[in-house]
Amino acid sequence: MERVYVLVLVFTCLVNIHPVAQAIGINYGVNGDNLPAPTNVISVLKQRNVAKFRLFEPNEDVLTALHDSGISVIVGTSNQDLETLATDYAIAVSWVDSYVLPHYSSVNITCIAAGNEVFPGDLAQYIPGAMKNLAAALSASNIAIPVSTAVSMQVLSVSYPPSQGLFSADATPVMTEITEFLQSKNSPLLLNAYTYFPRVGDPSHVQLEYALLQDSADTVHDDPYTYDNLFDAMVDAVYSAVEKVGGPDVEIIVTETGWPTDGGDDASIENAQTYVNNLIEHVTRGQGTPKRPGKDIDTYIFALFNEDLKPEGVERNWGLYYPNMTEVYNANF
Ligand SMILES: *[C@@H]1O[C@H](CO)[C@@H](O)[C@H](O)[C@H]1NC(C)=O
Ligand SMILES: *[C@@H]1O[C@H](CO)[C@@H](O)[C@H](O)[C@H]1NC(C)=O
């Protein structure tokens, strides 16, 4: 009996430790003309225990540099490819042949994202078809990688209080189709959720401390739950919306969140560092959100670098690193 008890304790510890190291990822954006070579980037971040990246498009240099690194990656399709991926199965097969097959045995590709923040827009109608064709093409090659899409909070018409979360009338038909697909395949929905934007959009109602996950924040009651930060409230609003269109078991992965260091209201190194470090602690604590308690929230910070080819203002200032690989601020991975 005693031996069994010790074993149980050991396994409990392992189970608790493992996800902590796995929960945090980084968005590897490449819209800069001064960024370091992927091999240098990856060796530095590996030393810092970064276990996961997300790529917006299948960048060959980055994927090749990730070979045998032990770092896993979510790979996106470009939005312009959605229409042909949806309407021509052969294009989906060639996408898989070009971007997945050469890397699949050496890199842990954890998800394929059919498009990024396509809502609202004309291309959104192609997401379900692109997801289905990519999933079929992967399956035909005996590759078990989930297929999803990344959405922003703009898919919702109601996000407050979180229990009332609802897809907009425009988004509902396509989000229903997407949700049913994800539910049937046991695949996650990818969500880009920035507390920064509601805060600067409505500073008199959205407290800075609440957006920064500070202990001093006021709480929001939404029976039976209490929210002490805006990040959980945003994620749970999307869970509520997904539940209403047939996705009770669909898990959310937060593929983007972060805080800018310059270029706009409340954008500062101090606020960005506070947000990112509070967030890392929060999502790796195994506590989940009020609606989905008891596990880490799989989360990717935006972004690895300040990217100088993006529009001026906050857009260029989300990086954890300057292009010369000096940290903008220290994040506790
Ligand atoms: C791939 O990554 C996932 C998610 O991080 C992890 O659960 C799985 O064990 C990894 N597989 C391999 C072969 O490394
Ligand atoms: C890296 O770039 C930043 C921003 O341009 C600059 O402030 C810093 O001094 C640079 N660091 C090194 C080591 O060159």
Side-chain angles (χ1 to χ4, degrees):
M1 277 308 281
E2 209 176 304
R3 192 165 299 167
V4 170
Y5 184 61
V6 169
L7 270 179
V8 168
L9 268 183
V10 167
F11 282 118
T12 307
C13 291
L14 287 176
V15 166
N16 282 339
I17 288 163
H18 176 73
V20 173
Q22 292 293 315
I24 285 289
I26 304 179
N27 281 273
Y28 194 151
V30 293
N31 288 313
D33 58 12
N34 51 3
L35 300 180
T39 44
N40 299 346
V41 174
I42 285 158
S43 69
V44 170
L45 290 174
K46 206 177 137 108
Q47 283 162 24
R48 293 197 61 195
N49 295 321
V50 171
K52 303 186 294 197
F53 283 128
R54 169 176 176 234
L55 282 175
F56 293 89
E57 293 183 8
N59 180 303
E60 283 297 329
D61 292 343
V62 176
L63 284 169
T64 303
L66 282 170
H67 280 203
D68 304 319
S69 66
I71 297 176
S72 68
V73 65
I74 294 177
V75 182
T77 73
S78 72
N79 290 347
Q80 303 92 283
D81 287 346
L82 286 173
E83 182 174 355
T84 53
L85 286 168
T87 53
D88 187 349
Y89 175 65
I91 299 284
V93 170
S94 86
W95 196 97
V96 168
D97 286 351
S98 306
Y99 302 125
V100 178
L101 288 181
H103 306 291
Y104 175 62
S105 58
S106 314
V107 188
N108 192 344
I109 300 174
T110 51
C111 189
I112 305 289
N116 180 49
E117 298 193 359
V118 183
F119 290 99
D122 292 342
L123 290 176
Q125 62 183 305
Y126 299 113
I127 299 172
M131 288 170 67
K132 284 170 194 166
N133 277 343
L134 284 166
L138 288 163
S139 164
S141 291
N142 280 317
I143 294 175
I145 299 176
V147 178
S148 188
T149 187
V151 299
S152 76
M153 292 298 289
Q154 284 197 56
V155 292
L156 299 189
S157 56
V158 182
S159 62
Y160 181 88
S163 59
Q164 300 305 303
L166 190 68
F167 290 124
S168 70
D170 279 357
T172 293
V174 174
M175 283 311 300
T176 303
E177 212 181 327
I178 291 170
T179 300
E180 284 166 357
F181 175 85
L182 297 174
Q183 171 80 23
S184 75
K185 300 279 187 187
N186 196 21
S187 297
L189 178 66
L190 311 179
L191 173 67
N192 299 342
Y194 293 92
T195 65
Y196 175 76
F197 292 117
R199 157 64 192 171
V200 295
D202 191 3
S204 57
H205 291 107
V206 181
Q207 194 192 28
L208 181 62
E209 290 84 346
Y210 187 64
L212 290 176
L213 294 92
Q214 296 281 68
D215 289 340
S216 54
D218 294 340
T219 56
V220 167
H221 296 283
D222 180 20
D223 266 354
Y225 307 124
T226 299
Y227 288 86
D228 57 17
N229 69 79
L230 180 54
F231 177 83
D232 281 354
M234 292 169 79
V235 173
D236 276 1
V238 179
Y239 271 122
S240 296
V242 166
E243 283 169 3
K244 286 168 192 159
V245 297
D249 306 310
V250 172
E251 187 189 339
I252 290 173
I253 292 178
V254 178
T255 33
E256 286 180 37
T257 190
W259 198 280
T261 51
D262 200 1
D265 293 345
D266 293 324
S268 68
I269 288 181
E270 189 188 353
N271 284 346
Q273 182 165 29
T274 300
Y275 178 76
V276 164
N277 285 329
N278 284 345
L279 178 89
I280 292 173
E281 206 209 310
H282 175 65
V283 300
T284 58
R285 197 158 40 187
Q287 165 188 312
T289 66
K291 272 180 81 73
R292 293 288 186 279
K295 62 186 169 78
D296 287 1
I297 307 163
D298 204 358
T299 303
Y300 292 73
I301 293 167
F302 187 88
L304 186 51
F305 291 111
N306 282 343
E307 293 167 75
D308 69 349
L309 297 180
K310 292 212 157 171
E312 265 184 78
V314 287
E315 287 292 315
R316 288 189 188 170
N317 295 291
W318 295 85
L320 296 164
Y321 283 90
Y322 294 112
N324 62 14
M325 286 306 298
T326 305
E327 282 180 275
V328 180
Y329 56 89
N330 186 254
N332 304 323
F333 294 119

